[in-house]
Amino acid sequence: MMADRPSSRSSFLRAFLDALRAVAGDKGVLMLLIGAPVLYGFFYPWFYSLEVVQRVPVAVVQQDGSGLARQMLRFAEASPRIEVVLTTGDEAEAQQALLRGEVMGYALLPPDLKRDVVRTQKVVVPVYANGAYPLVAKQVQYGFAEAVGTVSAGIELRRLGAAGQSRLQAASSRSPINLQMEALFNPTEGYGSFVVAAVAVLILQQTLLMGGALLVGTWRERGEAAAPVRIWLARLLALCALGWLSGLYYFGWMFVWHDFPRGGNPLGALLLLAVFVPAVAGLGVLLGWWFANRERAMQVLLFTSIPLAFLGGFSWPAEALPTILQWLRWLSPSTAAIQASLRLNQMGAPAQAAAFHLSVLLALALASWLAVLWVGRRRAGAGTAGHIGRPD
């Protein structure tokens, strides 16, 4: 006989509560299913709270002592994107500072800058940035581009004014067609709004996946895994209940607290959780059953987060993946859930726009739950017939 094995006479509610008590009595599972989502939801977005990189240290190589060069320097110092920490006339000094990591880029104001401008000759101000850090390099280039562009616009306006045009005519002549840019779905164009909204779904999956597999692995080690269909239904619903609470915590509080784009289609987001969490719970139970070992689940699943993030299609275009990975990635619920969440939570798309992704999650949920119930019923039947010679 297997000790503490839920009997076939246990009620559905009792089995449901027993599963929750098993979670509460296991510190490892409790930490993964409740502690980890809360801690991740609090600390992970915190590192990206500034959204964009600001005050990047830079250098200005000023090889022209004119007032025009000093004006460009002042505009660079006023930019919120960059912070001029070194001003020198020696480009080699700026390069050494760049190699030492003291600055992330520099602009070179060439000799005879003002003379060439007065002669209406074309002047180029080179800007060098550390491309090993793309976000930082972007800020260095944008910061210097805005500073130099503002000064250049002022020079052009003065030339047009000297030619007899009024201020309004000069402004219209310089820019006959104006461009207005507006970022949709991520108004701040922040990194946090871009990455956390997608990674949050992956966090929900990985914590529930590892917690479920750990719990089932423990049951298998103790010989408590084999159970009738209704007991396994109760166990799966207990895992889903915890997963749904975590999902509501992320979609309903974390996005609001950190002011990430959210709430585009709340009913669609609830529909997403309704199919995403059961798919993950079923997959976690299957993996736990397959591993049949408490520690094995952690050892294997802990290292799948980064590959799954790349397969999610938000940090790297899925079309650039090898063909076989473009098919295999749909076996992970996070792939469809991330795409559906971005559409429903951030873009406010109707549920029809995420119909394919929701269908994939529903199919994964049905397939995994049927597999769990089949395995559980088969083992329970074998146990009843007295053919179990070893624990599960």
Side-chain angles (χ1 to χ4, degrees), residues 351-374:
Q352 294 86 340
F356 169 73
H357 307 93
L358 296 175
S359 300
V360 170
L361 292 172
L362 181 60
L364 290 174
L366 290 175
S368 60
W369 279 48
L370 288 175
V372 169
L373 298 181
W374 178 77

Side-chain angles (χ1 to χ4, degrees), residues 2-284:
M2 290 178 285
D4 298 327
R5 176 182 177 181
S7 71
S8 60
R9 297 186 298 274
S10 298
S11 67
F12 184 85
L13 179 60
R14 180 180 177 183
F16 178 82
L17 296 176
D18 285 344
L20 291 180
R21 276 193 288 269
V23 172
D26 190 318
K27 293 181 180 179
V29 176
L30 186 66
M31 188 65 192
L32 283 169
L33 293 181
I34 297 179
V38 173
L39 292 176
Y40 270 116
F42 181 81
F43 286 107
Y44 183 74
W46 182 47
F47 298 105
Y48 306 110
S49 58
L50 292 178
E51 291 281 4
V52 295
V53 182
Q54 293 180 318
R55 315 303 298 176
V56 179
V58 296
V60 173
V61 180
Q62 188 176 350
Q63 297 179 340
D64 184 85
S66 66
L68 180 61
R70 290 193 293 274
Q71 186 181 16
M72 287 185 178
L73 176 60
R74 288 196 298 273
F75 273 80
E77 291 173 334
S79 172
R81 299 178 186 270
I82 55 179
E83 181 177 5
V84 180
V85 297
L86 174 64
T87 304
T88 177
D90 185 3
E91 185 178 3
E93 184 180 356
Q95 291 175 340
Q96 289 301 315
L98 181 63
L99 293 176
R100 291 193 299 268
E102 296 172 358
V103 299
M104 301 305 291
Y106 68 90
L108 174 62
L109 304 182
D112 302 324
L113 172 69
K114 184 174 181 179
R115 186 199 65 182
D116 293 341
V117 170
V118 172
R119 292 179 177 177
T120 65
Q121 295 179 350
K122 186 176 181 180
V123 178
V124 177
V125 177
V127 175
Y128 302 92
N130 189 345
Y133 301 91
L135 295 179
V136 172
K138 174 185 171 184
Q139 292 300 85
V140 172
Q141 292 166 339
Y142 275 31
F144 279 122
E146 289 171 350
V148 175
T150 302
V151 175
S152 177
I155 295 171
E156 190 171 356
L157 288 175
R158 283 196 293 272
R159 284 177 179 169
L160 293 172
Q165 294 190 15
S166 66
R167 180 173 298 179
L168 291 178
Q169 288 174 327
S172 178
S173 298
R174 181 188 172 275
S175 182
I177 299 177
N178 293 313
L179 176 65
Q180 181 179 358
M181 295 187 294
E182 184 173 351
L184 300 176
F185 315 123
N186 183 4
T188 63
E189 298 184 74
Y191 187 72
S193 297
F194 155 68
V195 71
V196 175
V199 172
V201 178
L202 188 58
I203 292 173
L204 288 173
Q205 169 173 301
Q206 292 303 89
T207 52
L208 181 57
L209 198 65
M210 287 189 284
L214 197 69
L215 183 63
V216 176
T218 305
W219 284 340
R220 289 218 61 184
E221 287 182 348
R222 296 176 179 174
E224 302 172 356
V229 168
R230 64 174 178 277
I231 300 298
W232 267 112
L233 279 174
R235 290 173 171 177
L236 285 167
L237 283 177
L239 289 174
C240 287
L242 297 174
W244 283 323
L245 288 176
S246 297
L248 292 174
Y249 165 71
Y250 275 64
F251 289 177
W253 183 80
M254 189 189 81
F255 288 173
V256 175
W257 185 46
H258 293 282
D259 198 24
F260 292 140
R262 77 280 179 182
N265 186 348
L267 293 179
L270 291 176
L271 181 60
L272 166 62
L273 288 178
V275 292
F276 169 57
V277 170
V280 177
L283 185 60

